[in-house]
Amino acid sequence: MADVLFRNASLFDGTGTPTRPADVIVRGSRIRTVADANAGLEAPGCEIIDATGLTLMPGMTEGHAHLSFCGARTNTDLGDIPVEEHLLATMRNAELLLDCGFTSAYSAASAKIRLDIVIRNEVEAGRLKGPRIRASSPEITVTGGLGDECRVHQNRSSFGLTADGPEEVRRAARMCIREGADNIKVNISGDDFVNPAKGGMTVMSEAEVRAAVETAHDFGRRVNCHARAGGSVRRALDCDVDVIYHCELMDRPSMDLIEAKKDRVFTGPAIGLIFNTIERGPEFGIDEAAIERLGMRLVLELTAGVYNELRKRGVRVAIGGDYGFAWTPQGTNARDLEHFVNLFGYSPAEALACATKVGGEIMGLGEELGLVREGYLADLLLVDGDPTRDVRIMQDRARILMVMKDGAVHRHPRDAARTGGAVAAE
Ligand SMILES: [Zn+2]
């Protein structure tokens, strides 16, 4: 851990307000001082980094992380990979994410029960490089739901953990919590990529969702859900799910309800997967006919409509686009920021606030993570250029000159030019 004075930085503090010239001192794992750049701040014993012309900003949070998704072309790819190889791939993806400026990862689901958990523990112990992680369970799903790849004649697995009825769901959630999960994931709706539960179907019963939420909350954990169908968003809200992903078929009454609960609920569009399925699907066997059949352009349009509305209503939206499939490679996660600007109407600074301020909040650390503020954890990036003018800068790792997490330097500006960085695990 280094004591550092960032001198004369252009500071984006994470709240969404414009940058301002500032000096920032980090002592140990915390931000000690944030002062005007012309305040003549002295910091004995600190390494001084001249940040003139550079942007200092909070580390980002990947709010829909799938660290164990390693270039899957099909859901069963994630079940077919043996646990040993899978753990190593997850490890490499964690390092890659940190390299890309994501100092936190809020997991939307782990493909096997202990993958997120083990990597989280190793990172926390300082033995592996990676973001701070809130580990998730696999996707708890009902028979026939998204993630249940079994057939009567054949046992297959993917990222799902099948449970039917409130008692089985409760048992699955408790088991994942016993093993160390911070988040429980439930698939309330299906998805158009699978059979028989389609995206417009709400297939997990209210009693099952309620069992998962009660169990997770009893243990002080969070619940994430996959909710494409309008009815599934409503069910998630009625059952007090904490993080509601997708939501493109959400109706007006659900918007009113989510707005009323906006201090405790988070949403996330996972827009990267939708966008890239259209853009890159054909390279991976999802041809134009399939894109048409899946209605992906309509899904993109509906998602844009919903998230423009959620933005206007002040609902918290996390960035994170289901990166980890073959056509959404790990390491391209920051592209979501560009989609937030182009599709959802956020200003660049507001989109960055979704990655920083909202990121700290979704991690459950809103009082000490996600802002450049005195006393906050020193998760900081030093960026070549001004991402509050052009968020695409964040997609270029070479321009993220410094990555600091918890006051520890992962990448130092003097090394930035010569490190190639980690690569996505496949
Ligand atoms: Zn996902």
Side-chain angles (χ1 to χ4, degrees):
M1 230 173 272
D3 290 348
V4 175
L5 164 61
F6 294 95
R7 180 83 84 190
N8 197 30
S10 174
L11 176 66
F12 172 72
D13 67 7
T15 59
T17 56
T19 57
R20 63 182 195 273
D23 287 357
V24 173
I25 295 174
V26 172
R27 295 259 189 211
S29 63
R30 301 268 167 182
I31 297 163
R32 171 71 66 86
T33 311
V34 180
D36 287 344
N38 55 11
L41 210 59
E42 294 299 328
C46 278
E47 178 190 356
I48 295 172
I49 293 177
D50 180 8
T52 305
L54 306 176
T55 302
L56 183 68
M57 60 175 279
M60 297 185 288
T61 296
E62 161 57 87
H64 188 122
H66 289 304
L67 295 171
S68 56
F69 285 22
C70 36
R73 287 168 183 250
T74 67
N75 293 348
T76 48
D77 283 353
L78 293 167
D80 291 346
I81 179 171
V83 68
E84 295 84 357
E85 283 87 343
H86 213 159
L87 183 64
L88 293 171
T90 308
M91 177 185 83
R92 292 198 293 274
N93 286 336
E95 181 174 351
L96 171 63
L97 203 55
L98 182 60
D99 252 5
C100 295
F102 290 89
T103 54
S104 298
Y106 182 91
S107 182
S110 174
K112 293 181 173 71
I113 292 176
R114 299 192 70 250
L115 294 175
D116 278 1
I117 294 163
V118 170
I119 299 301
R120 177 202 62 198
N121 293 348
E122 290 294 297
V123 169
E124 274 181 12
R127 291 189 289 261
L128 283 183
K129 294 173 184 170
R132 72 182 75 246
I133 296 166
R134 266 192 82 113
S136 177
S137 72
E139 308 195 11
I140 297 175
T141 194
V142 299
T143 293
L146 167 65
D148 174 19
E149 299 292 339
C150 290
R151 296 296 180 266
V152 163
H153 70 290
Q154 188 179 48
N155 256 322
R156 294 294 296 274
S157 59
S158 59
F159 41 69
L161 188 59
T162 304
D164 291 297
E167 284 316 307
E168 281 189 23
V169 170
R170 207 184 307 276
R171 177 181 289 276
R174 284 181 179 151
M175 188 256 290
C176 294
I177 291 167
R178 180 192 69 197
E179 297 302 314
D182 302 306
N183 304 334
I184 295 299
K185 173 74 173 282
V186 288
N187 289 347
I188 306 178
S189 81
D191 198 287
D192 288 338
F193 278 94
V194 301
N195 279 312
K198 293 300 184 187
M201 299 176 186
T202 303
V203 295
M204 183 174 271
S205 74
E206 181 169 338
E208 288 165 333
V209 178
R210 221 172 264 292
V213 174
E214 278 174 7
T215 304
H217 288 176
D218 283 349
F219 283 91
R221 313 300 158 107
R222 286 232 170 108
V223 179
N224 313 323
C225 74
H226 176 92
R228 294 198 181 278
S232 66
V233 177
R234 181 59 195 237
R235 189 160 290 173
L237 286 165
D238 288 344
C239 294
D240 281 332
V241 169
D242 303 286
V243 182
I244 308 176
Y245 289 126
H246 309 301
C247 305
E248 69 265 15
L249 296 172
M250 175 190 259
D251 58 16
R252 289 271 151 188
S254 292
M255 282 191 187
D256 295 340
L257 197 54
I258 211 165
E259 187 179 357
K261 293 185 170 202
K262 67 183 177 185
D263 291 336
R264 55 162 306 274
V265 178
F266 297 86
T267 58
I271 189 66
L273 182 61
I274 299 166
F275 194 92
N276 281 23
T277 300
I278 297 167
E279 186 188 62
R280 297 195 58 191
E283 293 169 53
F284 298 94
I286 306 169
D287 61 13
E288 191 51 46
I291 290 166
E292 199 59 40
R293 195 173 59 248
L294 292 163
M296 292 310 294
R297 288 191 179 82
L298 178 62
V299 172
L300 186 71
E301 198 178 304
L302 291 169
T303 305
V306 165
Y307 283 88
N308 267 284
E309 185 65 24
L310 293 179
R311 172 181 57 77
K312 288 177 196 157
R313 292 175 183 236
V315 174
R316 293 179 293 187
V317 183
I319 76 146
D322 255 327
Y323 292 94
F325 291 96
W327 55 100
T328 53
Q330 298 275 0
T332 61
N333 312 57
R335 195 172 180 204
D336 258 40
L337 294 164
E338 184 184 351
H339 299 320
F340 272 45
V341 172
N342 292 345
L343 300 173
F344 304 154
Y346 288 90
S347 71
E350 288 168 344
L352 290 165
C354 292
T356 54
K357 180 177 190 289
V358 173
E361 290 167 359
I362 201 171
M363 290 296 288
L365 298 168
E367 300 299 311
E368 55 179 342
L369 182 70
L371 299 177
V372 182
R373 186 170 283 179
E374 291 176 2
Y376 272 54
L377 290 164
D379 280 24
L380 297 168
L381 309 178
L382 201 52
V383 181
D384 172 18
D386 185 357
T388 68
R389 289 181 185 277
D390 183 357
V391 289
R392 291 174 302 178
I393 290 171
M394 302 309 294
Q395 295 173 42
D396 184 356
R397 256 191 288 173
R399 298 184 71 174
I400 303 176
L401 304 179
M402 183 172 200
V403 179
M404 175 184 273
K405 189 191 80 176
D406 257 338
V409 176
H410 171 67
R411 185 192 300 134
H412 194 283
R414 70 171 166 261
D415 302 325
R418 51 188 156 88
T419 50
V423 294
E426 287 180 10

